[in-house]
């Protein structure tokens, strides 16, 4: 895990660049903790390097999962965790498909990365999700435009567990300092909107058949 329980400051994952880098990340964790909105530092595999208390609070009601907890790997959480739609509003078009598009680009760039290949195999093991990846995703990108896959500046719906926010929206802000960029990390902050916007009611948590939620590919007739 990238953070400690009980609301304590995030503990950075080990990095190979020595004590100075570790010291920087420890100090950056303190800075991140002062941010009032959910904020997370990810590596190129979407492994969570650092996450603040607001991020953990947003996903505090997520059930257990062997590989897709939001504090471990955010991409796996979006794609594979059955509880993800209960927090990520408009889950398919606002979260799942943009993340899958970025994942496709990462696979092209880091083709031999074992972590990315493991996620790619997991997608391939589900026929619906594989069809969405190979066929539905390109069609969706052509329909909505390349800008729809960008994180920075995107406004996306959230279903916050804190009733003071409830069904609202967040603006994704990608604000990554040079030191984190040099480490291959990206920082994303979900800036919660002050005026809650109407969004779908909180989805009931229910088991799902992997990618059956991806309507860009019709379910096969039985």
């Amino acid at each position: 895990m990238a953070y400690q329980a009980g609301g304590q400051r995030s503990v950075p994952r080990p990095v190979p660049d020595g004590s100075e880098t570790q010291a920087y990340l420890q100090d950056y964790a303190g800075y991140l903790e002062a941010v009032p909105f959910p904020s997370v530092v990810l590596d190129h595999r979407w492994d969570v390097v650092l996450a603040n208390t607001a991020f953990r609070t947003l996903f505090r009601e997520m059930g257990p999962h062997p590989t897709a907890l939001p504090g471990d790997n955010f991409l796996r959480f979006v794609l594979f965790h059955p509880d993800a739609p209960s927090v990520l509003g408009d889950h398919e078009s606002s979260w799942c498909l943009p993340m899958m598009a970025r994942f496709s680009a990462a696979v092209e760039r880091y083709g031999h990365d074992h972590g990315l290949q493991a996620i790619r195999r997991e997608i391939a093991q589900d026929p619906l999700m594989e069809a969405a990846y190979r066929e539905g995703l390109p069609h969706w990108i052509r329909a909505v435009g390349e800008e729809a896959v960008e994180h920075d500046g995107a406004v996306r719906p959230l279903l916050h567990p804190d009733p003071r926010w409830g069904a609202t929206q967040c603006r994704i802000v990608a604000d990554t300092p040079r030191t984190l960029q040099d480490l291959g990390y990206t920082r994303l902050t979900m800036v919660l909107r002050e005026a809650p916007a109407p969004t779908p009611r909180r989805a009931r948590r229910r088991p799902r058949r992997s990618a059956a939620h991806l309507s860009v590919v019709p379910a096969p007739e039985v």
Side-chain angles (χ1 to χ4, degrees), residues 47-121:
D47 283 340
V48 174
V49 179
L50 296 169
N52 67 0
T53 294
F55 181 88
R56 299 193 291 274
T57 297
L58 179 62
F59 300 108
R60 68 190 179 194
E61 297 181 2
M62 296 300 96
H65 194 282
T67 64
L69 290 174
D72 288 338
N73 184 284
F74 194 63
L75 175 65
R76 283 185 174 276
F77 169 71
V78 172
L79 294 184
F80 303 126
H81 200 299
D83 291 346
S86 70
V87 170
L88 305 179
D90 193 15
H91 176 250
E92 178 180 338
S93 61
S94 293
W95 296 94
C96 193
L97 288 170
M99 291 286 288
M100 187 178 281
R102 298 304 294 264
F103 170 70
S104 178
V107 169
E108 291 185 11
R109 183 176 181 184
Y110 306 103
H112 300 294
D113 184 276
H114 295 300
L116 294 178
Q117 288 302 320
I119 297 173
R120 181 67 187 92
R121 287 192 298 272

Side-chain angles (χ1 to χ4, degrees), residues 19-40:
S19 58
E20 183 57 34
T21 299
Q22 283 289 341
Y24 175 85
L25 290 176
Q26 291 284 358
D27 291 339
Y28 197 83
Y31 168 75
L32 203 68
E33 194 58 37
V35 176
F37 301 116
S39 194
V40 62

Side-chain angles (χ1 to χ4, degrees), residues 110-191:
Y110 306 103
H112 300 294
D113 184 276
H114 295 300
L116 294 178
Q117 288 302 320
I119 297 173
R120 181 67 187 92
R121 287 192 298 272
E122 194 166 346
I123 290 173
Q125 288 169 1
D126 184 279
L128 282 174
M129 187 171 277
E130 177 69 5
Y133 183 81
R134 287 186 174 273
E135 302 168 19
L137 183 61
H139 173 75
W140 177 78
I141 293 174
R142 287 193 299 269
V144 301
E146 292 285 345
E147 65 277 4
V149 309
E150 293 298 325
H151 292 317
D152 186 42
V155 176
R156 296 177 179 168
L158 283 178
L159 302 165
H160 203 291
D162 188 334
R164 291 175 297 178
W165 291 104
T168 187
Q169 292 178 328
C170 70
R171 185 179 297 278
I172 306 294
V173 176
D175 183 16
T176 309
R178 186 180 66 182
T179 301
L180 291 184
Q181 291 178 7
D182 291 344
L183 291 168
Y185 297 160
T186 300
R187 176 188 169 195
L188 299 177
T189 300
M190 303 174 190
V191 180

